[in-house]
Amino acid sequence: MKDSGVDGRIIELFRSGDGVVSGAALSRLLGVSRTAVWKHVKGLRASGYLIEAVPSKGYRLLSSPKVLTQLDLSAGLATTRIGTSIICLKETESTNQVAFRMAEEGAAEGTVVIADAQSAGKGRLGRIWLSPPGVNLYCSVVLRPAIAPMAACQLTFLSVVAVARTIESCTALTPQIKWPNDILINGKKVAGLLNEMNAETEKVNFVVLGIGVNLNLDMSSISESLLRHPATSLLEQGGAEVDRLAFTRALLVELDRLYDVFLREGEGPVRAEWLERSAIKGRNVKVSQGEREFVGMVQGVDSFGALLVQLSGGKVETVLSGDVALI
Ligand code: BTN
Protein backbone atom coordinates (compact mmCIF):
# COMPACT_ATOMS: atom_id res chain seq x y z
CA MET A 1 0.00 0.00 0.00
CA LYS A 2 1.37 3.41 -0.96
CA ASP A 3 1.75 6.29 1.50
CA SER A 4 0.12 9.15 -0.31
CA GLY A 5 0.08 11.48 2.69
CA VAL A 6 -2.86 12.74 4.70
CA ASP A 7 -4.88 13.68 1.58
CA GLY A 8 -4.45 10.18 0.19
CA ARG A 9 -5.47 8.59 3.48
CA ILE A 10 -8.58 10.79 3.66
CA ILE A 11 -9.62 9.58 0.18
CA GLU A 12 -8.88 6.02 1.23
CA LEU A 13 -11.07 6.38 4.36
CA PHE A 14 -13.92 7.87 2.32
CA ARG A 15 -13.70 4.92 -0.06
CA SER A 16 -13.50 2.23 2.59
CA GLY A 17 -16.40 3.60 4.63
CA ASP A 18 -20.00 3.42 3.55
CA GLY A 19 -20.73 7.13 3.30
CA VAL A 20 -20.21 9.80 5.94
CA VAL A 21 -16.96 9.83 7.93
CA SER A 22 -16.95 12.03 11.02
CA GLY A 23 -14.35 14.74 11.53
CA ALA A 24 -13.52 13.13 14.88
CA ALA A 25 -12.88 9.74 13.24
CA LEU A 26 -10.73 11.32 10.54
CA SER A 27 -8.74 13.20 13.16
CA ARG A 28 -8.23 10.04 15.26
CA LEU A 29 -7.39 7.73 12.36
CA LEU A 30 -5.03 10.19 10.74
CA GLY A 31 -3.46 11.37 13.96
CA VAL A 32 -4.02 15.05 13.17
CA SER A 33 -6.17 17.78 14.75
CA ARG A 34 -9.76 18.54 13.67
CA THR A 35 -8.49 21.87 12.29
CA ALA A 36 -5.91 20.03 10.20
CA VAL A 37 -8.65 17.69 8.89
CA TRP A 38 -10.69 20.72 7.86
CA LYS A 39 -7.68 22.26 6.09
CA HIS A 40 -7.07 19.03 4.15
CA VAL A 41 -10.74 18.79 3.16
CA LYS A 42 -10.54 22.40 1.94
CA GLY A 43 -7.41 21.58 -0.08
CA LEU A 44 -9.04 18.52 -1.62
CA ARG A 45 -12.07 20.59 -2.62
CA ALA A 46 -9.76 23.11 -4.27
CA SER A 47 -8.25 20.22 -6.28
CA GLY A 48 -11.67 19.26 -7.64
CA TYR A 49 -12.96 16.74 -5.07
CA LEU A 50 -16.63 17.32 -4.26
CA ILE A 51 -16.85 16.77 -0.51
CA GLU A 52 -20.12 17.40 1.27
CA ALA A 53 -20.20 18.51 4.92
CA VAL A 54 -23.12 16.66 6.54
CA PRO A 55 -24.24 18.70 9.58
CA SER A 56 -23.29 17.09 12.93
CA LYS A 57 -22.18 13.89 11.12
CA GLY A 58 -19.01 14.57 9.14
CA TYR A 59 -17.90 14.51 5.55
CA ARG A 60 -18.88 12.53 2.48
CA LEU A 61 -17.00 12.25 -0.82
CA LEU A 62 -19.49 12.88 -3.62
CA SER A 63 -17.11 12.80 -6.59
CA SER A 64 -13.49 12.95 -7.67
CA PRO A 65 -12.05 15.21 -10.38
CA LYS A 66 -12.84 14.01 -13.89
CA VAL A 67 -9.15 13.61 -14.70
CA LEU A 68 -7.19 10.78 -13.10
CA THR A 69 -5.26 11.98 -10.07
CA GLN A 70 -2.33 10.52 -8.19
CA LEU A 71 -4.39 10.59 -4.98
CA ASP A 72 -7.30 8.61 -6.40
CA LEU A 73 -5.00 6.12 -8.09
CA SER A 74 -2.71 5.44 -5.19
CA ALA A 75 -5.14 5.56 -2.23
CA GLY A 76 -5.14 2.00 -0.86
CA LEU A 77 -3.67 0.58 -4.07
CA ALA A 78 -2.89 -3.06 -3.34
CA THR A 79 0.38 -3.37 -5.24
CA THR A 80 3.93 -3.98 -4.14
CA ARG A 81 5.98 -2.73 -7.08
CA ILE A 82 3.76 -0.99 -9.65
CA GLY A 83 2.69 2.52 -8.67
CA THR A 84 5.42 3.21 -6.11
CA SER A 85 5.27 6.65 -7.65
CA ILE A 86 2.40 7.86 -9.86
CA ILE A 87 2.57 11.01 -11.98
CA CYS A 88 -0.63 12.31 -13.59
CA LEU A 89 -0.32 14.94 -16.30
CA LYS A 90 -3.04 16.95 -18.00
CA GLU A 91 -1.35 16.78 -21.37
CA THR A 92 2.05 15.70 -22.64
CA GLU A 93 3.53 14.69 -25.95
CA SER A 94 3.87 11.05 -24.97
CA THR A 95 3.80 9.34 -21.59
CA ASN A 96 6.43 6.91 -22.90
CA GLN A 97 8.73 9.82 -23.61
CA VAL A 98 8.20 11.29 -20.11
CA ALA A 99 8.66 7.91 -18.39
CA PHE A 100 11.78 7.17 -20.45
CA ARG A 101 13.34 10.51 -19.51
CA MET A 102 12.45 9.99 -15.85
CA ALA A 103 13.94 6.49 -15.91
CA GLU A 104 17.15 7.86 -17.43
CA GLU A 105 17.28 10.26 -14.49
CA GLY A 106 16.88 7.37 -12.05
CA ALA A 107 13.09 6.97 -11.53
CA ALA A 108 12.38 3.88 -9.44
CA GLU A 109 10.94 0.63 -10.72
CA GLY A 110 7.16 0.81 -10.71
CA THR A 111 6.96 4.53 -11.56
CA VAL A 112 3.75 5.16 -13.52
CA VAL A 113 3.15 8.14 -15.83
CA ILE A 114 -0.42 8.87 -16.93
CA ALA A 115 -1.73 11.68 -19.11
CA ASP A 116 -5.26 12.82 -19.78
CA ALA A 117 -4.22 13.61 -23.36
CA GLN A 118 -1.15 13.14 -25.56
CA SER A 119 -0.22 15.56 -28.33
CA ALA A 120 2.17 13.09 -30.00
CA GLY A 121 1.18 9.64 -28.69
CA LYS A 122 3.60 7.08 -30.07
CA GLY A 123 2.39 3.91 -31.77
CA ARG A 124 4.38 0.99 -33.13
CA LEU A 125 6.60 1.42 -36.18
CA GLY A 126 6.68 5.22 -35.85
CA ARG A 127 2.91 5.61 -36.10
CA ILE A 128 0.80 8.12 -34.18
CA TRP A 129 -1.50 6.93 -31.36
CA LEU A 130 -4.66 9.05 -31.27
CA SER A 131 -4.90 10.46 -27.76
CA PRO A 132 -7.81 12.87 -27.23
CA PRO A 133 -8.49 14.17 -23.69
CA GLY A 134 -10.97 12.95 -21.11
CA VAL A 135 -11.86 9.56 -22.53
CA ASN A 136 -9.06 7.00 -22.74
CA LEU A 137 -6.11 5.64 -20.82
CA TYR A 138 -2.54 6.59 -21.75
CA CYS A 139 -0.12 5.10 -19.31
CA SER A 140 3.59 4.20 -19.11
CA VAL A 141 5.28 2.09 -16.47
CA VAL A 142 9.01 1.92 -15.67
CA LEU A 143 10.40 -1.57 -14.93
CA ARG A 144 13.96 -2.52 -14.06
CA PRO A 145 14.12 -6.32 -14.39
CA ALA A 146 17.51 -8.01 -14.17
CA ILE A 147 17.29 -9.64 -17.60
CA ALA A 148 19.26 -9.69 -20.84
CA PRO A 149 18.16 -7.29 -23.63
CA MET A 150 17.09 -10.31 -25.77
CA ALA A 151 14.54 -11.25 -23.12
CA ALA A 152 12.97 -7.80 -22.83
CA CYS A 153 10.31 -8.54 -25.46
CA GLN A 154 8.90 -11.09 -23.03
CA LEU A 155 7.53 -8.14 -21.10
CA THR A 156 5.13 -7.51 -23.97
CA PHE A 157 3.26 -10.65 -22.89
CA LEU A 158 2.93 -9.13 -19.47
CA SER A 159 1.26 -5.86 -20.43
CA VAL A 160 -0.94 -7.51 -23.07
CA VAL A 161 -2.24 -10.11 -20.63
CA ALA A 162 -2.73 -7.47 -17.91
CA VAL A 163 -4.86 -5.33 -20.23
CA ALA A 164 -6.87 -8.36 -21.40
CA ARG A 165 -7.56 -9.44 -17.81
CA THR A 166 -8.57 -5.87 -16.86
CA ILE A 167 -10.99 -5.59 -19.78
CA GLU A 168 -12.57 -8.86 -18.63
CA SER A 169 -12.86 -7.78 -15.02
CA CYS A 170 -14.25 -4.30 -15.76
CA THR A 171 -16.61 -5.14 -18.63
CA ALA A 172 -18.58 -8.11 -19.97
CA LEU A 173 -16.45 -8.11 -23.13
CA THR A 174 -14.07 -10.80 -24.36
CA PRO A 175 -10.75 -9.39 -25.58
CA GLN A 176 -8.56 -11.21 -28.09
CA ILE A 177 -4.82 -10.82 -28.46
CA LYS A 178 -3.15 -10.29 -31.82
CA TRP A 179 0.62 -10.60 -32.09
CA PRO A 180 2.65 -8.81 -31.07
CA ASN A 181 0.78 -6.38 -28.90
CA ASP A 182 -2.71 -5.56 -30.12
CA ILE A 183 -5.89 -6.20 -28.22
CA LEU A 184 -9.00 -6.63 -30.29
CA ILE A 185 -12.68 -6.90 -29.56
CA ASN A 186 -14.82 -8.34 -32.33
CA GLY A 187 -11.86 -7.98 -34.70
CA LYS A 188 -11.29 -4.28 -33.99
CA LYS A 189 -8.33 -2.82 -32.11
CA VAL A 190 -9.17 -1.46 -28.67
CA ALA A 191 -5.71 -1.24 -27.10
CA GLY A 192 -2.09 -0.98 -28.18
CA LEU A 193 1.12 -1.58 -26.27
CA LEU A 194 4.51 -0.09 -26.99
CA ASN A 195 7.49 -1.17 -24.91
CA GLU A 196 10.71 0.80 -25.13
CA MET A 197 14.01 -0.23 -23.65
CA ASN A 198 17.31 1.23 -22.48
CA ALA A 199 20.00 -1.45 -22.35
CA GLU A 200 23.69 -2.24 -22.48
CA THR A 201 25.08 -5.25 -24.34
CA GLU A 202 24.45 -7.63 -21.48
CA LYS A 203 21.80 -6.06 -19.34
CA VAL A 204 18.61 -4.10 -19.43
CA ASN A 205 18.76 -0.78 -17.57
CA PHE A 206 15.02 -0.24 -17.77
CA VAL A 207 11.96 -0.94 -19.88
CA VAL A 208 9.01 1.42 -20.32
CA LEU A 209 5.70 -0.38 -20.84
CA GLY A 210 3.45 1.96 -22.84
CA ILE A 211 -0.24 1.15 -22.65
CA GLY A 212 -3.03 2.86 -24.59
CA VAL A 213 -6.62 1.71 -24.16
CA ASN A 214 -9.64 3.23 -25.92
CA LEU A 215 -12.09 3.34 -23.05
CA ASN A 216 -14.85 5.86 -23.68
CA LEU A 217 -13.86 7.14 -27.10
CA ASP A 218 -16.87 8.02 -29.24
CA MET A 219 -15.81 6.32 -32.46
CA SER A 220 -18.15 8.46 -34.57
CA SER A 221 -16.01 11.48 -33.56
CA ILE A 222 -12.92 9.98 -35.24
CA SER A 223 -12.39 10.22 -38.98
CA GLU A 224 -11.73 6.75 -40.44
CA SER A 225 -8.88 8.16 -42.49
CA LEU A 226 -6.96 8.61 -39.21
CA LEU A 227 -7.20 4.93 -38.39
CA ARG A 228 -4.83 2.46 -39.96
CA HIS A 229 -6.75 -0.58 -38.76
CA PRO A 230 -10.39 -0.94 -37.77
CA ALA A 231 -10.49 0.50 -34.25
CA THR A 232 -13.02 0.52 -31.47
CA SER A 233 -13.51 1.49 -27.82
CA LEU A 234 -14.88 -0.34 -24.82
CA LEU A 235 -17.77 2.14 -24.86
CA GLU A 236 -18.61 1.27 -28.46
CA GLN A 237 -18.36 -2.47 -27.85
CA GLY A 238 -20.03 -2.65 -24.45
CA GLY A 239 -22.53 0.17 -24.82
CA ALA A 240 -21.65 1.59 -21.39
CA GLU A 241 -19.08 4.08 -20.10
CA VAL A 242 -16.10 2.53 -18.36
CA ASP A 243 -14.99 4.04 -15.03
CA ARG A 244 -11.49 5.28 -15.95
CA LEU A 245 -10.29 5.32 -12.37
CA ALA A 246 -11.51 1.80 -11.55
CA PHE A 247 -10.08 0.49 -14.84
CA THR A 248 -6.67 2.07 -14.27
CA ARG A 249 -6.43 0.86 -10.67
CA ALA A 250 -7.41 -2.66 -11.75
CA LEU A 251 -4.79 -2.55 -14.51
CA LEU A 252 -2.03 -1.52 -12.11
CA VAL A 253 -2.96 -4.40 -9.81
CA GLU A 254 -2.90 -6.92 -12.72
CA LEU A 255 0.47 -5.59 -13.91
CA ASP A 256 1.81 -5.96 -10.38
CA ARG A 257 0.57 -9.55 -10.08
CA LEU A 258 1.92 -10.61 -13.46
CA TYR A 259 5.26 -8.89 -12.94
CA ASP A 260 5.61 -10.71 -9.66
CA VAL A 261 4.98 -14.05 -11.44
CA PHE A 262 7.46 -13.02 -14.16
CA LEU A 263 10.18 -12.28 -11.59
CA ARG A 264 9.56 -15.43 -9.56
CA GLU A 265 8.81 -18.01 -12.28
CA GLY A 266 10.14 -16.52 -15.51
CA GLU A 267 8.16 -15.73 -18.64
CA GLY A 268 6.59 -19.22 -19.01
CA PRO A 269 3.25 -18.77 -17.16
CA VAL A 270 2.56 -15.34 -18.65
CA ARG A 271 3.40 -16.56 -22.17
CA ALA A 272 1.11 -19.56 -21.65
CA GLU A 273 -1.78 -17.24 -20.81
CA TRP A 274 -0.88 -15.02 -23.76
CA LEU A 275 -1.05 -18.06 -26.09
CA GLU A 276 -4.33 -19.24 -24.64
CA ARG A 277 -5.88 -15.85 -25.28
CA SER A 278 -4.23 -15.34 -28.66
CA ALA A 279 -6.49 -14.80 -31.63
CA ILE A 280 -4.00 -16.16 -34.14
CA LYS A 281 -2.68 -19.51 -32.93
CA GLY A 282 -3.41 -22.13 -35.61
CA ARG A 283 -4.65 -19.47 -38.04
CA ASN A 284 -3.32 -18.56 -41.47
CA VAL A 285 -1.72 -15.13 -41.58
CA LYS A 286 -0.03 -12.74 -43.96
CA VAL A 287 3.19 -11.28 -42.53
CA SER A 288 4.40 -7.93 -43.92
CA GLN A 289 7.94 -6.82 -43.14
CA GLY A 290 8.53 -3.71 -45.24
CA GLU A 291 8.92 -4.95 -48.82
CA ARG A 292 8.79 -8.60 -47.82
CA GLU A 293 5.49 -10.46 -47.46
CA PHE A 294 4.71 -14.12 -46.87
CA VAL A 295 1.85 -16.29 -45.68
CA GLY A 296 1.81 -19.21 -43.30
CA MET A 297 0.18 -20.84 -40.32
CA VAL A 298 0.88 -19.58 -36.79
CA GLN A 299 2.36 -22.24 -34.55
CA GLY A 300 2.89 -20.12 -31.46
CA VAL A 301 5.46 -17.75 -29.99
CA ASP A 302 8.93 -18.57 -28.74
CA SER A 303 10.24 -17.60 -25.33
CA PHE A 304 11.55 -14.31 -26.73
CA GLY A 305 8.16 -13.25 -28.03
CA ALA A 306 8.88 -14.02 -31.69
CA LEU A 307 5.99 -15.38 -33.74
CA LEU A 308 6.55 -18.82 -35.27
CA VAL A 309 4.95 -19.08 -38.70
CA GLN A 310 5.01 -22.33 -40.66
CA LEU A 311 5.28 -21.82 -44.43
CA SER A 312 3.52 -24.16 -46.88
CA GLY A 313 6.77 -26.08 -47.50
CA GLY A 314 7.06 -26.86 -43.78
CA LYS A 315 9.82 -24.38 -42.92
CA VAL A 316 9.15 -22.36 -39.75
CA GLU A 317 9.89 -18.62 -39.93
CA THR A 318 10.70 -16.76 -36.72
CA VAL A 319 9.07 -13.34 -36.98
CA LEU A 320 10.54 -10.69 -34.72
CA SER A 321 8.83 -7.62 -36.17
CA GLY A 322 6.28 -6.62 -38.78
CA ASP A 323 2.54 -6.55 -39.31
CA VAL A 324 0.47 -9.70 -39.16
CA ALA A 325 -3.01 -9.97 -40.67
CA LEU A 326 -5.37 -12.92 -40.52
CA ILE A 327 -6.39 -14.43 -43.86
C1 BTN B 1 0.42 0.55 -31.06
O1 BTN B 1 0.80 1.10 -32.10
O2 BTN B 1 -0.42 -0.33 -31.08
C2 BTN B 1 1.01 0.94 -29.72
C3 BTN B 1 0.28 2.11 -29.13
C4 BTN B 1 0.80 2.49 -27.76
C5 BTN B 1 0.15 3.74 -27.23
C6 BTN B 1 0.52 4.05 -25.82
S1 BTN B 1 -0.47 5.34 -25.13
C7 BTN B 1 0.58 5.44 -23.75
C8 BTN B 1 2.00 5.27 -24.24
N1 BTN B 1 2.55 6.53 -24.64
C9 BTN B 1 2.77 6.59 -25.95
O3 BTN B 1 3.23 7.59 -26.55
N2 BTN B 1 2.44 5.43 -26.53
C10 BTN B 1 1.97 4.48 -25.56
Side-chain angles (χ1 to χ4, degrees), residues 50-326:
L50 208 56
I51 299 172
E52 181 188 21
V54 185
S56 60
K57 286 198 171 148
Y59 302 101
R60 175 171 36 211
L61 177 63
L62 297 179
S63 67
S64 289
K66 260 197 102 71
V67 291
L68 295 171
T69 68
Q70 180 271 330
L71 276 183
D72 276 333
L73 286 166
S74 54
L77 188 69
T79 60
T80 51
R81 294 187 183 86
I82 309 295
T84 40
S85 163
I86 300 181
I87 291 99
C88 292
L89 306 167
K90 196 161 183 330
E91 179 172 330
T92 186
E93 284 188 13
S94 150
T95 55
N96 264 28
Q97 204 177 72
V98 176
F100 203 93
R101 215 168 35 230
M102 288 179 63
E104 281 176 326
E105 287 162 8
E109 166 151 281
T111 297
V112 173
V113 179
I114 287 176
D116 194 52
Q118 296 182 120
S119 54
K122 291 203 271 181
R124 278 179 66 230
L125 308 173
R127 293 167 193 150
I128 291 286
W129 184 256
L130 277 186
S131 312
V135 281
N136 293 334
L137 174 64
Y138 318 114
C139 163
S140 301
V141 181
V142 175
L143 298 181
R144 296 184 180 276
I147 54 174
M150 266 280 282
C153 17
Q154 295 166 348
L155 292 165
T156 306
F157 297 136
L158 196 137
S159 37
V160 174
V161 170
V163 172
R165 283 187 184 181
T166 308
I167 292 175
E168 267 174 11
S169 70
C170 293
T171 70
L173 299 165
T174 305
Q176 287 178 314
I177 293 173
K178 178 173 163 281
W179 184 90
N181 52 7
D182 288 352
I183 299 199
L184 315 180
I185 294 182
N186 294 322
K188 293 178 171 181
K189 180 159 167 170
V190 74
L193 294 308
L194 178 68
N195 293 358
E196 298 186 278
M197 166 172 72
N198 176 307
E200 289 158 38
T201 326
E202 309 240 310
K203 83 172 194 8
V204 166
N205 293 324
F206 61 84
V207 175
V208 171
L209 305 183
I211 303 174
V213 189
N214 294 338
L215 298 178
N216 297 317
L217 185 62
D218 171 6
M219 296 312 296
S220 66
S221 68
I222 305 292
S223 153
E224 273 197 28
S225 62
L226 290 174
L227 305 172
R228 222 179 149 269
H229 298 291
T232 190
S233 66
L234 295 180
L235 169 67
E236 182 182 63
Q237 293 295 317
E241 279 224 358
V242 174
D243 181 333
R244 271 205 303 173
L245 174 61
F247 187 94
T248 310
R249 283 171 62 95
L251 176 63
L252 298 182
V253 170
E254 287 299 351
L255 281 171
D256 194 70
R257 281 189 193 138
L258 288 161
Y259 189 46
D260 188 61
V261 171
F262 179 87
L263 293 179
R264 282 188 296 107
E265 299 174 41
E267 49 80 44
V270 187
R271 175 159 57 109
E273 183 168 340
W274 186 100
L275 261 182
E276 213 171 280
R277 292 171 172 277
S278 166
I280 52 169
K281 190 172 176 219
R283 305 279 301 268
N284 288 318
V285 291
K286 182 170 89 178
V287 179
S288 311
Q289 296 174 312
E291 300 284 276
R292 182 172 180 239
E293 281 190 353
F294 58 91
V295 293
M297 203 258 284
V298 176
Q299 287 196 322
V301 281
D302 70 13
S303 61
F304 295 109
L307 190 69
L308 304 173
V309 179
Q310 185 168 39
L311 310 183
S312 53
K315 182 177 174 241
V316 176
E317 284 271 351
T318 302
V319 182
L320 280 162
S321 68
D323 267 327
V324 173
L326 291 175

